[in-house]
Amino acid sequence: MPETTPRGLTRLAFGGDYNPEQWPESAWLQDVRLMREAGVTMVSAGIFSWALLEPSPGEYDFGWLDRILDLLHEGGIRVGLGTPTVVPPAWFYRAHPEALPVTAEGVRQEFGSRGAICHSDADYRAAAADITTKLAERYGDHPALAMWHVHNEYGVPVSACYCDSCAAHFRRWLADTYGGVDAVNEAWGTAFWGQHYTSLDQINPPRATPTVGNPGQALDYKRFADATIRENFRMERDILHRLSPGVPVTTNFMTALSQCDSMDYWAWGREVDLVTNDHYLITDGRRTHVNLAMAADLTRSVAGGAPWLLLEHSTSGVNWQPRNPAKAPGQMARNSLAHVARGSEGAMFFQWRQSRRGAEKFHSAMLPHGGTETRVWREVVELGASIDSLSQIRGTRTRADVAVVWDWQSWWAQNLQWRPSEDHDPRERADSFYAALYDRHLTVDFAHPEADLSSYPLVVVPALYLMTEAAGNNIKEYVENGGTLVVSYFSGIVDEHDAVHDGPYPGPLRDVLGLTVEEFSPLLENQRVRVTGPDASELTGDVWTEFVVPRGAETVWTYADGLTAGRPAVTRHRLGRGTAWYVSTRLDTHGLDEVLARAAADARIAPRADLPRDVEVVCRTDESGTRTFLFAINHTATDAKVPLDTPGTELLTGERAAGRLAVPAGAVRVVRLDG
């Protein structure tokens, strides 16, 4: 069995993508010297190097890679060696232009960027297998090799191709999935608009059509595209497992909902030996540290709660957003350690040395254009020392308080065309509910709708438009056995084929919520409704309202105006030993907090009034429960005090901590609790 941690790495991972091929060999010795100065323990290498490793078909040049791996090994630096299959060489595309992807509009894209790949193309698959085999044979037992890094950021920028090769592959996938054309017709509801097929050979990818196409076909094509990419990953992984036994194989995910929406990471998490993730702050006015925490929690959940690794983030500004501000002093360390708090076994960056040429020359790096006389470099060195001081946390797991149910396939279905309101955004609901839980200082696990939920006192369902019968039964059983559930509107509407569940909305959730929904009543742009409730409290909703009919549920808040005036807006239903809440409008931040406060009380989760907003406290614990590490991260400009129920030793300063832990503005403290 392959290892699940980088081979030979005895400390937390600290480093970044290293692209020595961009620099003369005279710079390599300096790089390794500076890496040692910064405390680098591991780098990623070879990710974009196919054209240099195989400069012409069947002719290989490994000399330069031999030299750099030996140099890194001599410097005590481990390597995550890439398979460079994200960018085939120019000569490959000249020989096999059909390997370039085709858009739904029929436009074949060109070479000159990255990720321009038709994953169904047999020639690409053969070439990828060949270069992977050559690398594994040469470096499979190299002493510097810590892990294999397959491809790069699958699904970005091309997640699906619509060429004739993909059409044939799609038909085979349908045959394997459904068995025959009759089952496809049933699943897709092709009786509507006369879309009936009499043979699988008549089916093409969902290419551009005069108006909206078949949603069942579009949803299945997303599944097919994801599965096809995963086939190629498995092909490379299996070669590496065979030729380089005992070395973990991974690929870098992009789990943040702000960064990739085309991969089903629940499925991907089962394929890698070690879950790794890339995360970049989206500077769109949101509280970026909340998005970071959410991405880290989601990545840990994809890993099944096991430790994972942050494989890329930025030291400062990036270069691909409309506006790319620098990170404030101390923010790089704070961001990095926030990932570590939520389960990462280190913090790595893109990239080591800032590029002078190419599309990302203004993307920050560990070693900036300005060299070692820069703020970023000084902070990198300081962070390296901090990461080193935390090595004893390796292997511990982050402790969660609540669960959020999330499903990428439901997100795909929700985002298809012709829904009741374009203003309803499942990502926005997930972000908003997560932020409300974050502000209540609750650490979140994410869970697949059919996963075991029994260990969580509170489960939140912010946006689950697509829900299987099995998921509905799972959630009902959770509540009956004593759990507390909160469900947001437009959940439980369709099955796995995007067909509306038989009977009234919300399908499999009717019994657990104790209600039905007669009709959706989305609001117009900028329209709002008032919602009145206990103790004359008044909340505000927008985007969405519903005609809710209680069937056992009690009304807690009521619509005060609009078409649904006098109808239930928020309900509560006792079922078995548990309680289920339903929110039928898009509440603002205050409203969400009001509902979650009552649900948390049902779940017997005590409020954390002793912690200020944007000071997060997260714990990592070993499996025996004998070692607990408390991370206190102050994202504010004001010094904070964090209560400590148990004294301990602060690892970054070496000081003893008891009573109330002082956390300066913008700082991080990590306490190993006694006991």
Side-chain angles (χ1 to χ4, degrees):
M1 290 291 292
E3 293 292 328
T4 58
T5 57
R7 188 180 66 168
L9 191 64
T10 58
R11 295 177 289 166
L12 295 177
F14 182 64
D17 283 29
Y18 183 36
N19 300 290
E21 62 271 29
Q22 296 181 20
W23 304 92
E25 287 201 33
S26 59
W28 297 359
L29 283 173
Q30 181 193 44
D31 281 333
V32 174
R33 177 178 61 79
L34 291 176
M35 286 177 188
R36 290 174 61 86
E37 181 179 327
V40 167
T41 59
M42 187 168 77
V43 296
S44 304
I47 296 169
F48 301 106
S49 302
W50 194 344
L52 297 180
L53 293 169
E54 190 178 5
S56 60
E59 296 184 9
Y60 302 95
D61 178 7
F62 294 111
W64 68 272
L65 188 54
D66 291 346
R67 294 191 294 277
I68 195 63
L69 289 182
D70 291 346
L71 190 61
L72 290 166
H73 176 61
E74 291 168 9
I77 297 165
R78 311 296 296 165
V79 178
L81 186 57
T83 66
T85 51
V86 67
V87 183
W91 59 255
F92 172 82
Y93 287 118
R94 180 61 62 91
H96 306 288
E98 69 284 353
L100 289 163
V102 174
T103 68
E105 294 73 28
V107 176
R108 189 175 294 279
Q109 296 177 320
E110 282 292 339
F111 172 77
S113 178
R114 64 171 185 165
I117 296 166
C118 168
H119 281 274
S120 293
D121 184 75
D123 292 312
Y124 167 75
R125 290 184 170 206
D130 179 74
I131 190 65
T132 299
T133 299
K134 294 294 190 295
L135 285 166
E137 289 174 339
R138 190 173 189 91
Y139 301 111
D141 59 357
H142 193 284
L145 181 65
M147 65 182 189
W148 289 101
H149 175 166
V150 170
H151 204 270
N152 185 71
E153 296 179 345
Y154 279 112
V156 179
V158 176
S159 60
C161 172
Y162 297 81
C163 70
D164 289 342
S165 177
C166 286
H169 193 178
F170 183 43
R171 295 177 196 120
R172 293 193 296 272
W173 183 88
L174 290 171
D176 291 341
T177 302
Y178 290 103
V181 70
D182 291 342
V184 173
N185 282 319
E186 174 65 22
W188 292 358
T190 56
F192 184 77
W193 277 1
Q195 297 169 345
H196 187 79
Y197 298 102
T198 57
S199 168
L200 291 178
D201 291 338
Q202 298 167 358
I203 299 176
N204 280 323
R207 295 165 175 157
T209 51
T211 185
V212 176
N214 185 295
Q217 178 191 20
L219 178 57
D220 264 348
Y221 203 75
K222 289 179 179 293
R223 292 176 173 133
F224 157 76
D226 176 52
T228 300
I229 294 173
R230 210 158 51 245
E231 285 176 13
N232 284 353
F233 168 76
R234 282 198 297 265
M235 173 192 69
E236 294 191 43
R237 178 203 65 193
D238 292 349
I239 291 170
L240 296 168
H241 279 170
R242 176 170 54 85
L243 297 176
S244 183
V247 179
V249 180
T250 189
T251 185
N252 43 340
F253 296 166
M254 299 189 75
T255 63
L257 306 187
S258 54
Q259 291 175 245
C260 183
D261 63 358
S262 57
M263 301 287 99
D264 181 356
Y265 284 121
W266 293 126
W268 278 90
R270 296 189 292 269
E271 301 292 352
V272 297
D273 300 326
L274 166 68
V275 167
T276 64
N277 194 54
D278 296 353
H279 182 264
Y280 293 95
L281 301 180
I282 304 299
T283 52
D284 60 357
R286 303 176 192 231
R287 293 155 69 204
T288 55
H289 57 276
V290 180
N291 174 274
L292 184 159
M294 182 177 179
D297 284 344
L298 194 48
T299 307
R300 183 186 69 253
S301 302
V302 166
W308 54 280
L309 179 59
L310 175 66
L311 207 55
E312 284 185 28
H313 71 314
S314 65
T315 57
S316 192
V318 297
N319 71 314
W320 39 264
Q321 299 182 74
R323 287 157 291 279
N324 299 285
K327 290 186 177 180
Q331 186 180 359
M332 175 180 62
R334 196 163 61 251
N335 290 166
S336 301
L337 296 178
H339 284 287
V340 174
R342 294 176 185 272
S344 178
E345 295 283 82
M348 298 184 67
F349 296 91
F350 180 84
Q351 56 182 325
W352 162 251
R353 184 188 282 266
Q354 196 168 15
S355 300
R356 290 185 56 223
R357 298 175 177 85
E360 295 188 279
K361 56 183 169 287
F362 298 118
H363 189 295
S364 61
M366 299 176 77
L367 182 61
H369 291 309
T372 58
E373 299 300 320
T374 58
R375 172 181 68 89
V376 166
W377 172 255
R378 290 190 292 271
E379 291 193 20
V380 162
V381 173
E382 184 178 348
L383 176 60
S386 296
I387 292 286
D388 187 59
S389 70
L390 299 180
S391 290
Q392 58 186 290
I393 73 165
R394 292 176 72 237
T396 60
R397 298 191 173 208
T398 302
R399 193 167 62 207
D401 303 302
V402 301
V404 170
V405 172
W406 177 258
D407 183 28
W408 277 274
Q409 294 196 24
S410 177
W411 193 18
W412 299 344
Q414 165 71 76
N415 284 343
L416 296 174
Q417 294 172 289
W418 285 14
R419 299 305 184 228
S421 174
E422 67 177 14
D423 295 326
H424 171 51
D425 178 359
R427 179 200 154 191
E428 182 278 330
R429 282 294 79 189
D431 285 347
S432 294
F433 271 92
Y434 182 90
L437 293 167
Y438 179 96
D439 285 341
R440 298 191 71 77
H441 303 287
L442 297 173
T443 303
V444 172
D445 274 348
F446 286 83
H448 185 275
E450 297 179 18
D452 181 9
L453 304 172
S454 60
S455 63
Y456 303 103
L458 175 65
V459 170
V460 174
V461 181
L464 198 62
Y465 162 77
L466 183 155
M467 178 181 282
T468 64
E469 289 289 345
N473 292 335
N474 183 50
I475 289 173
K476 181 181 178 183
E477 181 180 355
Y478 163 76
V479 174
E480 287 176 331
N481 289 335
T484 301
L485 176 72
V486 179
V487 177
S488 186
Y489 62 88
F490 209 44
S491 293
I493 306 304
V494 301
D495 66 12
E496 59 268 34
H497 304 298
D498 198 47
V500 173
H501 286 286
D502 190 32
Y505 307 128
L509 291 172
R510 289 190 296 258
D511 292 342
V512 70
L513 296 176
L515 54 81
T516 58
V517 175
E518 288 186 349
E519 189 178 2
F520 309 131
S521 185
L523 300 178
L524 300 178
E525 188 175 10
N526 298 322
Q527 185 179 1
R528 288 174 172 76
V529 292
R530 293 181 299 114
V531 178
T532 57
D535 305 320
S537 61
E538 185 170 295
L539 310 179
T540 301
D542 65 0
V543 172
W544 194 275
T545 61
E546 293 177 342
F547 291 90
V548 174
V549 179
R551 302 190 185 278
E554 62 176 297
T555 299
V556 183
W557 274 275
T558 303
Y559 289 110
D561 50 24
L563 287 180
T564 53
R567 297 272 191 150
V570 179
T571 62
R572 178 176 180 266
H573 183 225
R574 294 184 181 275
L575 182 68
R577 294 186 285 113
T579 305
W581 290 77
Y582 185 59
V583 183
S584 68
T585 185
R586 191 177 83 163
L587 295 175
D588 60 15
T589 301
H590 168 69
L592 278 183
D593 184 67
E594 285 285 315
V595 173
L596 288 174
R598 292 174 182 273
D602 282 345
R604 296 180 176 84
I605 297 174
R608 293 296 308 270
D610 52 357
L611 290 176
R613 191 173 192 253
D614 291 327
V615 174
E616 61 181 273
V617 175
V618 183
C619 288
R620 288 183 60 157
T621 307
D622 66 5
E623 292 189 24
S624 67
T626 58
R627 291 186 300 134
T628 296
F629 301 88
L630 181 144
F631 287 73
I633 306 170
N634 187 351
H635 296 284
T636 78
T638 305
D639 295 348
K641 298 281 190 180
V642 172
L644 288 179
D645 294 332
T646 305
T649 301
E650 206 288 308
L651 300 181
L652 301 179
T653 64
E655 298 175 353
R656 289 291 296 170
R660 295 181 68 81
L661 173 68
V663 187
V668 179
R669 293 292 180 262
V670 184
V671 180
R672 175 170 177 165
L673 302 179
D674 293 343

